[in-house]
Amino acid sequence: MNSDLSQTQSKKVRTRFAPSPTGFLHIGSVRTCLFNFLYAKKMGGDFVLRIEDTDKERSKPEFEEDIKQGLKWLGIIWDEGPDTNGKFGPYRQMDRLDIYEKYARQLLDQSHAYYCFCSEEELEAKKQEMVARGHAPIYDGKCSNISKEEAQQRIAAGEKAVIRFKTQNKVISFTDLIWGKVDFDASLFGDFVIAKDTRSPLYNFAAAVDDYLMEITHIVRGEEHLSNTPRQMMIQSALGFGHPQYAHLPLILGPDKTKLSKRHNAEPVGYYKQKGYLPQALNNFIAFLGWNPGTEREMFSMPELINEFSFERCRKSGSIFNIAKLDWYNGMYIRQTPLDKLTELLIPYYQEKNLIEKISDREFKITATNQTIDFATLSLIVSLYQERLVKLEDIIEATDLFFVELPSYEKDLLLFKDMTYQQVANSIDKCIELLSNAESFQKDYLQTHCLNAIQEANLNRGQILWPLRVALTGKKASAGPFEIAEILGKDLSLKRLNFAKKILG
Ligand code: GLU
């Protein structure tokens, strides 16, 4: 058997992402999905979303919703899927039971599959025995000898049975687009279960049928599915179907080189969205988990990824999930985002923390002070921190000082190096004098005005500017005092300086 069927090569490329809605969308699934999407789009083909929801207990509509929302947010948009009118639908497996029933019956009729009546206990006992004898625990084929008539009678009488595929003892080979030639000795599989009954298909069977009927040309999925491929190919052959091409992506590993899991702080996509990772950053980062452009370049937009993608540039060895790298990408993309757009992205974070309330698109109310703040001022605040943000949510910690009447801090923070409280109090007095006299509160004016005065009076710059900045912000680190004073305005700046004096006692 060979998957390199020339018949698939002339067809329009069609790939699919086939998640089981049994959990939230996670990084590994996005990687699979993204590579399917990139390849389909690169080849001018179609990308299909198929929901594999045959595990009735574990599949949940909210997980399907989470998967779809996550993909939409990332800009990985399917051409066909559960909510489109594609001609290969339905796209949810539970809506395709008639189809699987038809093919299960065909496999049974043509003796490619048979009913197995062995009980769980019996199978377990046989398994233990084989393991004890040093054999791989495969099914011994006992029920393959039952005649079709007898099996039908027993089923009709209500006896419980599963459907097993009759595996041929031969080597199954295919050429994987990433791994090259792969051989599997199918005799090691034994006769495997493909359905719990004619209307309850299991993964390998349902996927094999759907991939054929949906005219999928390329199957791109994780390395953990490598050994499913020969099973699916055998089912396709038994049904007289051709085979698609396969590309198995390397495992994603944590920094300790073990399979990526929650232990490595890998979280569902919704978590990254909430923290304020940008979709471009995630896509770019995820694309590099298994692919590289062959150059030093690291920043790729989605259209650029589509353009550059190839399986030749995918590697077999595991890819390390390094959150520091994701942070790096995110900072880069935040810096590239136009200020207006970035401000728009940040407004929900302020609203969520109840720092501002929306009056209109361009006007907001500061909750703590009841003052109005316009979009331009918000943008100005954001502009002070655009260079330093790693995640959007970091804006709150950096800028909450603009949304309170008075900051709260320990008085020792006002001390610059070995200053005494008395010296700080004098510095604050000086600042009050300087800001009160200021003819304008524009930052350049304030800077010249203050620095000149400091120089004329022969004062220590740090001893004035540090207490000024802390009094205005209440923070160890922030943007410079003049930029902040400009935004706070004269009244609030003086109020904060007077408050600092009060703190000093
Ligand atoms: N439903 C399977 C999964 O989520 C699909 C695997 C495949 O792509 O064939 O793992």
Side-chain angles (χ1 to χ4, degrees), residues 205-440:
F205 171 53
V209 169
D210 288 345
D211 287 335
Y212 172 75
L213 294 180
M214 294 182 180
E215 295 186 11
I216 302 301
T217 57
H218 294 75
I219 294 190
V220 186
R221 61 188 171 201
E223 178 189 331
E224 63 276 17
H225 286 291
L226 204 48
S227 66
N228 285 322
T229 296
R231 289 175 168 88
Q232 293 172 18
M233 289 172 68
M234 285 191 288
I235 296 170
Q236 287 160 350
S237 295
L239 289 168
F241 302 163
H243 308 302
Q245 303 227 42
Y246 294 92
H248 290 89
L249 306 170
L251 290 179
I252 303 178
L253 309 174
D256 61 356
K257 309 258 168 79
T258 61
K259 192 168 187 259
L260 186 67
S261 71
K262 252 194 122 60
R263 269 186 310 117
H264 301 107
N265 300 325
E267 301 282 351
V269 168
Y271 166 91
Y272 297 99
K273 178 177 175 201
Q274 201 189 347
K275 291 259 147 204
Y277 287 93
L278 300 180
Q280 310 88 293
L282 263 177
N283 285 330
N284 200 154
F285 168 74
I286 291 173
F288 273 70
L289 293 175
W291 171 85
N292 72 80
T295 63
E296 294 295 299
R297 182 170 162 204
E298 298 192 278
M299 303 289 288
F300 287 84
S301 65
M302 189 69 105
E304 289 167 339
L305 286 173
I306 291 170
N307 200 33
E308 297 291 320
F309 184 79
S310 74
F311 290 116
E312 287 82 51
R313 297 231 58 91
C314 291
R315 60 174 169 268
K316 276 187 267 189
S317 56
S319 314
I320 312 272
F321 176 90
N322 177 357
I323 189 86
K325 190 74 200 182
L326 175 58
D327 285 348
W328 178 82
Y329 271 119
N330 210 50
M332 295 292 279
Y333 279 106
I334 286 179
R335 267 160 266 161
Q336 282 187 8
T337 306
L339 184 58
D340 271 12
K341 171 87 188 140
L342 183 60
T343 307
E344 269 162 29
L345 291 173
L346 291 169
I347 285 170
Y349 288 84
Y350 287 122
Q351 287 173 314
E352 223 249 302
K353 290 282 174 208
N354 203 21
L355 296 182
I356 58 170
E357 288 155 48
K358 193 169 172 167
I359 299 172
S360 69
D361 278 350
R362 310 300 293 181
E363 263 196 331
F364 304 85
K365 191 178 86 183
I366 298 181
T367 314
T369 61
N370 259 331
Q371 279 171 336
T372 306
I373 184 167
D374 61 8
F375 188 88
T377 311
L378 269 180
S379 289
L380 193 56
I381 294 174
V382 169
S383 73
L384 300 184
Y385 294 89
Q386 183 166 17
E387 288 295 315
R388 306 174 207 202
L389 290 181
V390 172
K391 309 183 285 301
L392 298 181
E393 71 163 16
D394 299 343
I395 197 68
I396 299 300
E397 167 72 28
T399 64
D400 55 359
L401 69 111
F402 294 104
F403 304 91
V404 289
E405 184 89 42
L406 294 168
S408 71
Y409 55 94
E410 299 293 323
K411 74 172 176 182
D412 280 4
L413 196 57
L414 288 163
L415 300 175
F416 179 68
K417 295 195 175 154
D418 49 8
M419 277 174 104
T420 62
Y421 290 129
Q422 186 52 53
Q423 285 174 306
V424 176
N426 294 343
S427 293
I428 299 283
D429 280 338
K430 185 73 192 166
C431 294
I432 292 174
E433 179 199 319
L434 286 170
L435 296 198
S436 305
N437 299 338
E439 280 160 24
S440 144

